[in-house]
Amino acid sequence: MGGQKNAASSSRRSFCSGFWSSALRRKTLASQSDAAAVHGEVLVRGLGLFELILLGIGASVGAGIFVITGTVAHDAGPGVTISFVLAGAACVLNALCYAELSSRFPAVVGGAYMYTYAAFNELTAFLVFTQLMLDYHIGAASIARSLASYVISFLEIFSVLKGHIPSWIGGGKELFGGVVSINILAPILLIILTMILCFGVRESSVVNSVMTVTKVLIVIVVIFAGSFEIDVSNWSPFAPNGIKAIVTGATVVFFAYVGFDAIANSAEESKRPQRDLPIGILGSLLVCIILYVAVCLVITGMVPYKFLAEDAPLAQAFTAKGLKFVSILISVGAIAGLTTTLLVGLYVQSRLYLGLGRDGLLPSVFAKVHPTRHTPIHSQVWVGCVAGIMAGLFNVHELSHILSVGTLTGYSVVSACVITLRWKDKVGSQGSRMCISSWHEGIISLVVVACCGFGAGICYRFGGSFIFLVVAIVIAILAAAALHFRQAYSDPPGFSCPGVPVVPIASIFFNIFLFAQLHEEAWLRFIIVSFISVGIYAIYGQYNANVVSSEHSIIYHGIPSEAA
């Protein structure tokens, strides 16, 4: 009996020891030639700088530019313009971090997941993937249903169709007390876009470029036409509900900018990744900021902010001015915007699955690339099927309050990756005076910054004492000082994020501050998904991961000769 207990105890210790040994592995990034030898055909390099910028714009500028402005303007007034500027500035911090890592690993598929694998460890990378993937899956299904609804609304412009299209085609037919919501058009649209993505990156890039250029031109026309209808008296008062409403608005519109990380996931398909990826990330974000700010100025100048419609403010504003033809253009722009957002979202998901398939953390079928089309067809079809089933059977709009968890988590970890990969001695032989290594001291400081960001966010959200907010900020500053003065930083190859570690720290703090503004169910979702992810990793991932090397050094993924 005692022997059985000892054996069981020994088995548990062996499992725990093996689990932590696997979980703490860091990725040594193999060269592209090695990846090609292991996985067969690689992705084709068909994306230039212009295509990458359009990819980022296509991912970011969706229906939000036609909708979210009115929602926020009801509270912030014309100050919604400042809300977009503040949110854009915060996103620039994240974009700078992404730009450095995309230049540091200029041909790595996987984006935030792969950066985390190289900077931290295998388990953290898998957690980042699962949090991001849940956002992407729910988001794709939700966007598909919105796109179907916009298509139906556009078709009903024609009197012969108005009122004759059944709700189950594009609007959603609820069954079983709302548990099931049938939508036929959304899965059809997903099938079409999945087929385009499977056909080839050049072909899908052409579709994205055409649709993105179309919607940007429509937005420019809207701005130009609306500028002649501006009444500057509508801009007064500029901030009717004070600065807090503007800051709160910035936390809402922040998510209108997300999508530039799609460019980082296209690294293996970029012609000149080390040069073009950073430019594409920052360039697409700046274009989005300019478009959003211009639209805000026009819409709040055309109509008093109190009278803006929340569901379709731009269309309503132009209709009120007797410019109905512009309203039709806005509907077309919304359809184009949603199409490109959905297309790029599906594209990014497949590349993430491809990265995990190559690393063995998911079945190898996800790592297969078509020998002639050079696209990860199995991953792409899987992504399309998941989104199609969800969009066709469920009203996923109701899950919107648990979204953005993965995005904010991914952005925060990427910012932390910039700091850890810059440390000259990551294993902690600098001789810290404390009982912990320099590496662990740095990690603790990063965690303290994140906790302070969450604490400050909670105080702001629930109207807590100003003293607690100041205390959280002061502690975060002290942790930032520790990172600045007690760590030595090296300059990376390629693009360098300025102000390290201050810029990444500010990015982490603001991202987690926003995390605190999410619905409480979103926090619960983060915890539940994390536990499930650890279970999946314990059962499958730790035993099947492809460990290239046990060394902690980084071997740069193969850089094309023209970009070297």
Side-chain angles (χ1 to χ4, degrees):
M1 193 72 176
Q4 292 178 346
K5 288 183 178 180
N6 290 334
S9 177
S10 176
S11 177
R12 283 194 297 269
R13 286 197 299 269
S14 177
F15 173 81
C16 291
S17 175
F19 175 84
W20 285 114
S21 176
S22 301
L24 297 178
R25 289 186 298 232
R26 286 204 292 270
K27 181 70 172 179
T28 302
L29 301 177
S31 67
Q32 181 150 327
S33 58
D34 292 339
V38 174
H39 301 288
E41 296 291 334
V42 295
L43 303 177
V44 65
R45 296 191 175 279
L47 300 178
L49 177 59
F50 183 67
E51 288 84 3
L52 290 173
I53 292 176
L54 290 180
L55 189 72
I57 297 173
S60 300
V61 179
I65 198 170
F66 305 106
V67 177
I68 198 172
T69 48
T71 302
V72 178
H74 271 264
D75 293 323
V80 65
T81 306
I82 306 301
S83 297
F84 272 99
V85 172
L86 292 175
C91 268
V92 167
L93 301 178
N94 291 299
L96 287 170
C97 295
Y98 263 99
E100 174 173 317
L101 294 179
S102 67
S103 176
R104 191 180 185 110
F105 308 122
V108 178
V109 65
Y113 151 76
M114 192 59 74
Y115 304 151
T116 307
Y117 207 161
F120 290 103
N121 55 63
E122 193 169 280
L123 179 58
T124 304
F126 190 72
L127 290 172
V128 167
F129 165 79
T130 51
Q131 294 289 352
L132 279 173
M133 200 49 58
L134 186 58
D135 269 14
Y136 279 128
H137 281 318
I138 297 175
S142 180
I143 293 170
R145 288 183 77 102
S146 296
L147 178 57
S149 179
Y150 268 97
V151 170
I152 295 300
S153 298
F154 180 76
L155 292 176
E156 288 184 339
I157 292 176
F158 305 99
S159 56
V160 68
L161 295 175
K162 188 172 181 63
H164 293 88
I165 301 178
S167 61
W168 53 268
I169 291 182
K173 176 70 172 179
E174 293 191 354
L175 301 174
F176 307 110
V179 175
V180 175
S181 179
I182 303 297
N183 188 311
I184 300 299
L185 183 57
I188 292 175
L189 295 171
L190 283 164
I191 291 171
I192 294 172
L193 293 178
T194 299
M195 291 175 63
I196 293 172
L197 288 165
C198 288
F199 199 76
V201 66
R202 289 191 180 93
E203 291 77 8
S204 57
S205 176
V206 168
V207 173
N208 177 70
S209 298
V210 170
M211 299 290 280
T212 301
V213 169
T214 299
K215 71 178 177 183
V216 170
L217 289 176
I218 289 174
V219 171
I220 293 173
V221 168
V222 167
I223 294 170
F224 183 77
S227 63
F228 292 99
E229 303 291 336
I230 290 176
D231 181 356
V232 293
S233 65
N234 290 330
W235 289 337
S236 182
F238 194 75
N241 296 314
I243 299 299
K244 185 171 183 179
I246 292 177
V247 175
T248 301
T251 65
V252 176
V253 303
F254 176 87
F255 302 104
Y257 290 108
V258 300
F260 58 82
D261 56 322
I263 300 174
N265 285 280
S266 65
E268 199 172 314
E269 291 159 292
S270 172
K271 292 178 181 177
R272 298 180 177 181
Q274 198 160 29
R275 185 202 70 172
D276 291 351
L277 292 178
I279 297 174
I281 289 171
L282 295 170
S284 63
L285 179 58
L286 291 177
V287 170
C288 292
I289 292 173
I290 293 171
L291 291 177
Y292 278 129
V293 169
V295 166
C296 288
L297 289 173
V298 167
I299 192 175
T300 56
M302 289 178 64
V303 178
Y305 73 93
K306 293 181 180 179
F307 301 108
L308 286 172
E310 292 194 22
D311 54 346
L314 272 180
Q316 177 260 350
F318 281 95
T319 300
K321 294 291 184 179
L323 301 173
K324 193 169 183 179
F325 75 95
V326 180
S327 299
I328 297 175
L329 273 180
I330 291 171
S331 297
V332 175
I335 292 174
L338 284 169
T339 300
T340 56
T341 302
L342 183 56
L343 183 75
V344 176
L346 295 172
Y347 165 86
V348 170
Q349 291 178 64
S350 67
R351 272 54 184 178
L352 282 169
Y353 274 106
L354 173 64
L356 269 85
R358 285 178 172 177
D359 292 335
L361 294 174
L362 290 178
S364 59
V365 66
F366 291 109
K368 295 184 180 299
V369 175
H370 194 277
T372 57
R373 296 296 177 190
H374 299 282
T375 56
I377 288 183
H378 296 86
S379 295
Q380 198 68 71
V381 170
W382 164 259
V383 167
C385 287
V386 172
I389 292 171
M390 294 176 65
L393 297 179
F394 305 104
N395 183 10
V396 288
H397 291 309
E398 296 182 0
L399 298 177
S400 60
H401 58 278
I402 68 168
L403 289 177
S404 303
V405 172
T407 302
L408 290 173
T409 301
Y411 283 3
S412 301
V413 174
V414 165
S415 299
C417 288
V418 170
I419 296 175
T420 57
L421 288 171
R422 287 277 202 105
W423 289 340
K424 288 183 179 179
D425 182 12
K426 296 188 297 180
V427 297
S429 60
Q430 292 181 0
S432 173
R433 296 178 182 178
M434 302 175 63
C435 297
I436 59 173
S437 67
S438 178
W439 163 263
H440 289 101
E441 181 182 333
I443 295 298
I444 291 172
S445 298
L446 289 172
V447 173
V448 169
V449 169
C451 291
C452 289
F454 187 78
I458 291 295
C459 290
Y460 178 82
R461 176 178 177 177
F462 295 106
S465 173
F466 181 72
I467 296 176
F468 292 115
L469 182 63
V470 171
V471 168
I473 294 174
V474 169
I475 294 175
I477 291 174
L478 293 175
L483 287 168
H484 181 72
F485 294 109
R486 294 182 61 82
Q487 301 289 335
Y489 297 93
S490 59
D491 294 327
F495 178 85
S496 176
C497 174
V500 173
V502 176
V503 168
I505 288 171
S507 176
I508 294 170
F509 186 90
F510 188 74
N511 290 335
I512 302 302
F513 180 91
L514 287 178
F515 189 98
Q517 311 307 311
L518 299 178
H519 196 281
E520 290 87 344
E521 291 182 14
W523 306 343
L524 184 61
R525 166 232 141 148
F526 176 82
I527 296 172
I528 293 174
V529 172
S530 296
F531 275 110
I532 294 174
S533 301
V534 171
I536 294 173
Y537 176 80
I539 296 171
Y540 182 87
Q542 66 166 321
Y543 301 112
N544 295 278
N546 299 322
V547 183
V548 177
S549 172
S550 60
E551 297 297 323
H552 293 298
S553 60
I554 301 297
I555 302 174
Y556 291 110
H557 220 260
I559 305 173
S561 58
E562 66 267 26

